[in-house]
Amino acid sequence: MAQSFQQYLETHQSENLEQLKEFLKISSISALSEHKGDVLKAAEWLRDELTRIGLEHVQVLETKGNPVVYGDWLHAENKPTVLIYGHYDVQPVDPLNLWETPPFDPEVRDGKIYARGASDDKGQVFMHIKALEALFQTDGKLPVNVKIIFEGEEEIGSPNLPIFLQSHKEMLQADVLVISDTDMLDKGKPSICYGLRGLTGLQIDVKGANSDLHSGSFGGGVQNPAHALVEILASFHDSEGRILVEGFYDKVEEITEEEKKAIAQVPSDDEKIRQELGVPELFGEPGYSFYERTSYRPTLEINGMYSGFQGEGIKTVLPNTATAKITCRLVPNQDPAEIFQLLVKHIENHKPKGVTVQITPFDQGSPFLTPFDHPAIQSAGRACEKVYGTKVAYTRSGGSIPIVADFNETLNIPVVLLGFALASENFHAPNEHFHLENFYKGMETLCHYWYDLAESL
């Protein structure tokens, strides 16, 4: 049966590519209100495609923002149910002058298709549809039960999806969630992401006098908010990069031996990274590699700070305010709300005299982890190895996708991040593109995955 879907995909390559172009022509930019009609058009396009290939109960479901597209096929008796998530909205295209070809006029060059959304995430969403179509056309049925949820607000933070998940919890219940919205290690080197870091952010506003003051008249006699802010920020770390917030590491688990074996399979050259970044040396928590620090360990980083006169030359004032923006990347077992409270307590305990401090919370998202030895993860690895002919790497990402944690918490199911993009494909930037090699191999991999998963879960 495997040869059958492979042959089908091969003989329909040109047709599939032309259909992908049709999808990419829809300017479904969720961040811009003038494209709201285009976002709806993309949702309706997906509805029609899902219906055409043979899915059932296909519908465009309203939210307070852009709609969610749902469809299912639930006739694989005694087989697992897979929930497939993706998004059909795209980023704005600015700056337009840097695009070599119009962003919504797809063009194939050098084995790549160029268009906004080509890799993030329309191309990968479309691969799932075509893989299911190939199975329907060659076997008349699917090896697993399938539910599909495609949203139109991922690029603006999925503001309405958590509520949708809660209100449709029973409809969306499944045995595993599969998302193709991540990237591979490199060309020809597939990877399965089994964990993402969480996030908590805050702003610190330090206020002194009721206005800026002349530094000659008041310097040395009034607390300088800029000095006070620097003192607070310096209290967060020791000289080697360890975080000094009391309780910050209390729930952080050490890297397991099994994970260390997985880490060893991930190519990492710290010296090459140092040279590419142009820094004298890499820096961070002692005892961990660059990859471990940026994927497996929590962080606390200053993202921005400002105070006082910013113009050319000098203005001799004591600024009356100083501000810093902070984000922490969190690992499994760290709760974003709890970490925020630990930061608040730390700041209050280290607040210098003579100023008031206001703390404002920003985005929060929980970390997520599906053990990489989970059958759904290992099944995905076997599918990749069949098609790419090389050993797959199991990775944890240093980034955060808060909606993944929402899925995990609401539905309580394992999550498999099986992406086919490459980090070099300019998603969110001009000249976004998708390598057609991964477009074709990705569809084949997904077909293998559904057959393997049917016997693994």
Side-chain angles (χ1 to χ4, degrees):
M1 191 57 60
Q3 183 61 38
S4 177
F5 71 69
Q6 289 170 327
Q7 184 64 35
Y8 181 87
L9 289 170
E10 184 177 347
T11 57
H12 287 77
Q13 279 190 2
S14 297
E15 177 186 332
N16 290 343
L17 183 57
E18 290 307 309
Q19 288 180 331
L20 174 59
K21 289 180 180 179
E22 181 184 332
F23 188 27
L24 292 172
K25 288 179 180 178
I26 305 172
S27 52
S28 51
I29 305 171
S30 55
L32 302 177
S33 58
E34 60 262 35
H35 286 279
K36 193 168 185 64
D38 297 312
V39 175
L40 177 59
K41 182 179 179 182
E44 292 172 339
W45 190 95
L46 286 170
R47 175 199 61 197
D48 294 345
E49 274 299 293
L50 294 177
T51 301
R52 185 187 64 79
I53 69 169
L55 263 64
E56 302 170 341
H57 309 114
V58 180
Q59 48 196 313
V60 175
L61 299 169
E62 292 185 359
T63 72
K64 289 184 179 179
N66 297 327
V68 166
V69 182
Y70 174 83
D72 62 38
W73 188 90
L74 306 174
H75 302 291
E77 189 175 354
N78 299 320
K79 296 298 182 180
T81 298
V82 178
L83 178 64
I84 301 170
Y85 163 84
H87 66 91
Y88 61 86
D89 64 321
V90 300
Q91 282 277 324
V93 299
D94 308 87
L96 186 60
N97 65 299
L98 295 182
W99 285 81
E100 294 181 18
T101 52
F104 295 108
D105 186 9
E107 180 175 299
V108 174
R109 305 193 300 272
D110 302 320
K112 310 162 193 171
I113 183 166
Y114 285 79
R116 172 58 87 226
S119 59
D120 181 24
D121 183 36
K122 283 183 174 179
Q124 301 196 67
V125 161
F126 186 71
M127 285 164 51
H128 276 281
I129 297 174
K130 303 311 289 186
L132 295 176
E133 179 186 47
L135 296 176
F136 275 128
Q137 291 297 318
T138 57
D139 200 16
K141 62 183 186 298
L142 302 179
V144 292
N145 299 294
V146 167
K147 296 179 179 179
I148 292 234
I149 174 173
F150 295 147
E151 71 152 322
E153 296 185 325
E154 194 274 347
E155 297 293 7
I156 55 172
S158 303
N160 294 294
L161 194 59
I163 297 172
F164 182 89
L165 296 180
Q166 287 289 344
S167 60
H168 295 80
K169 185 174 180 179
E170 185 175 346
M171 181 182 80
L172 297 173
Q173 197 58 56
D175 296 299
V176 61
L177 170 66
V178 176
I179 301 175
S180 296
D181 193 15
T182 50
D183 48 34
M184 299 167 51
L185 278 183
D186 203 346
K187 184 176 173 61
K189 297 178 180 178
S191 61
I192 311 296
C193 180
Y194 66 95
L196 296 166
R197 291 195 291 190
L199 177 74
T200 194
L202 57 91
Q203 179 170 309
I204 306 171
D205 291 293
V206 179
K207 190 175 187 306
N210 54 16
S211 68
D212 288 354
L213 301 174
H214 191 290
S215 65
S217 301
F218 294 94
V222 178
Q223 177 67 272
N224 186 325
H227 293 178
L229 177 63
V230 169
E231 187 174 333
I232 292 171
L233 298 179
S235 73
F236 283 135
H237 299 85
D238 68 13
S239 61
E240 293 188 293
R242 296 183 188 88
I243 297 168
L244 299 177
V245 176
E246 186 176 352
F248 189 88
Y249 291 114
D250 282 0
K251 296 183 179 179
V252 176
E253 296 181 355
E254 283 299 322
I255 302 170
T256 66
E257 289 302 317
E258 290 78 10
E259 287 182 312
K260 287 180 180 179
K261 292 177 183 177
I263 291 170
Q265 301 299 317
V266 179
S268 181
D269 187 337
D270 286 13
E271 176 57 21
K272 180 181 178 182
I273 293 169
R274 184 198 68 76
Q275 292 179 10
E276 288 177 347
L277 296 178
V279 295
E281 59 186 282
L282 299 178
F283 176 80
E285 190 182 3
Y288 300 95
S289 68
F290 177 84
Y291 174 60
E292 290 167 338
R293 291 169 184 161
T294 57
S295 299
Y296 287 76
R297 299 296 292 172
T299 65
L300 189 161
E301 296 293 339
I302 301 167
N303 303 127
M305 51 192 297
Y306 50 93
S307 180
F309 180 63
Q310 306 290 316
E312 184 180 355
I314 191 167
K315 183 180 181 184
T316 54
V317 297
L318 268 67
N320 73 318
T321 61
T323 297
K325 298 177 186 292
I326 305 290
T327 54
C328 298
R329 298 290 178 169
L330 309 178
V331 296
N333 298 327
Q334 287 186 301
D335 177 72
E338 182 179 349
I339 294 298
F340 174 76
Q341 291 303 323
L342 292 177
L343 293 171
V344 170
K345 183 178 178 181
H346 179 92
I347 293 167
E348 290 175 346
N349 289 341
H350 290 79
K351 179 182 70 175
K353 296 178 181 179
V355 293
T356 58
V357 176
Q358 179 179 336
I359 303 167
T360 305
F362 282 154
D363 294 349
Q364 293 188 355
S366 297
F368 112 88
L369 181 70
T370 298
F372 77 91
D373 57 357
H374 190 283
I377 297 283
Q378 293 297 312
S379 178
R382 287 191 294 271
C384 287
E385 289 172 0
K386 274 186 180 179
V387 176
Y388 284 88
T390 187
K391 193 171 181 61
V392 73
Y394 298 95
T395 65
R396 277 165 63 172
S397 171
S400 305
I401 308 177
I403 195 59
V404 173
D406 286 322
F407 269 110
N408 192 39
E409 292 169 5
T410 302
L411 302 179
N412 192 29
I413 57 175
V415 182
V416 179
L417 297 173
L418 177 57
F420 299 96
L422 296 178
S424 60
E425 289 178 336
N426 288 27
F427 25 85
H428 292 209
N431 302 307
E432 179 181 351
H433 56 278
F434 192 25
H435 283 68
L436 294 181
E437 175 188 4
N438 292 328
F439 176 60
Y440 299 131
K441 286 187 174 181
M443 288 185 282
E444 185 180 346
T445 300
L446 290 170
C447 290
H448 279 295
Y449 185 28
W450 305 141
Y451 277 115
D452 192 295
L453 197 63
E455 305 303 322
S456 301
L457 284 186

